[in-house]
Amino acid sequence: MLLDGDAWQAYFRDFKRSAFRLEVHQTYTMPTEAETVRDFLAGAQKPDGFNESWHQTIRNHAAAGRTMTRAKIMRRPLTPYSRYLFEWCIPGNVAAGEDYQIVDVTDQSNSGLPEQDFWMFDESTVVHLNYRPDGTQINRELIQDPDTGKYLAWRDLALERAVPFSAYRT
């Protein structure tokens, strides 16, 4: 089942305990970010209130005792997009209350982690984020009857190998 619009946003409104994202690509080509990525690469200053609506979502969940965790797979050297994430995006997410972890697999031939981005909500609902090789999103796919044990194992493996964003040195 493909998710879009309000059906997709509902997962971020309605989860009860936790939301976890495994983020594996080094570049994402999202139309909504095109202008800010271009500005970042041109040396512009980060705009005031940048990503504020997402930060408010994170703060609201944190205040209600719900966790939002992300494990970002990284390979050095950082891509221009990853530099944008590290400088403009991730610090605000962390300040808002997201537990943002970095898994550096630069020197690993096989990390044991999938090449598939996904969100897992409340340790039971899995949504694959499908991308083209250039980082353009194809769709978001709700996985029917997922093998949650597999996704939990990938989450645990990623977090076991991760360091907090604040401790990661490029």
Side-chain angles (χ1 to χ4, degrees):
M1 175 179 176
L2 300 182
L3 298 173
D4 208 358
D6 191 59
W8 171 234
Q9 294 304 315
Y11 287 92
F12 292 97
R13 278 194 316 267
D14 300 339
F15 73 88
K16 304 295 183 219
R17 296 176 309 283
S18 64
F20 171 81
R21 165 88 185 265
L22 182 66
E23 193 171 278
V24 303
H25 293 278
Q26 303 308 294
T27 298
Y28 294 93
T29 308
M30 305 299 289
T32 57
E33 293 179 331
E35 185 178 340
T36 56
V37 171
R38 188 173 43 251
D39 290 348
F40 166 78
L41 294 174
Q45 293 293 313
K46 182 168 62 173
D48 290 337
F50 177 75
N51 237 2
E52 181 53 35
S53 63
W54 180 245
H55 297 157
Q56 189 58 53
T57 297
I58 296 168
R59 284 191 293 272
N60 290 346
H61 285 303
R66 294 181 292 269
T67 61
M68 295 184 77
T69 305
R70 192 176 315 225
K72 171 70 176 149
I73 306 298
M74 292 301 309
R75 290 178 184 86
R76 288 176 268 125
L78 297 182
T79 63
Y81 184 84
S82 291
R83 290 188 299 108
Y84 161 76
L85 283 180
F86 272 57
E87 293 182 38
W88 277 26
C89 301
I90 299 172
N93 291 8
V94 171
E98 184 175 9
D99 180 10
Y100 213 110
Q101 301 286 315
I102 304 298
V103 184
D104 192 325
V105 298
T106 302
D107 299 323
Q108 298 176 20
S109 59
N110 181 358
S111 67
L113 295 168
E115 293 293 323
Q116 175 67 56
D117 279 60
F118 66 86
W119 276 99
M120 183 169 44
F121 300 95
D122 295 325
E123 299 186 338
S124 60
T125 301
V126 176
V127 177
H128 281 187
L129 305 172
N130 299 311
Y131 295 91
R132 291 180 184 90
D134 72 352
T136 304
Q137 190 172 74
I138 300 167
N139 59 35
R140 292 173 291 268
E141 177 185 7
L142 178 64
I143 303 303
Q144 302 294 326
D145 300 315
D147 176 354
T148 54
K150 175 174 70 174
Y151 290 93
L152 291 167
W154 283 333
R155 179 204 61 191
D156 294 348
L157 179 61
L159 294 176
E160 175 184 300
R161 295 181 178 178
V163 297
F165 171 73
S166 60
Y168 183 71
R169 302 291 173 247
T170 55

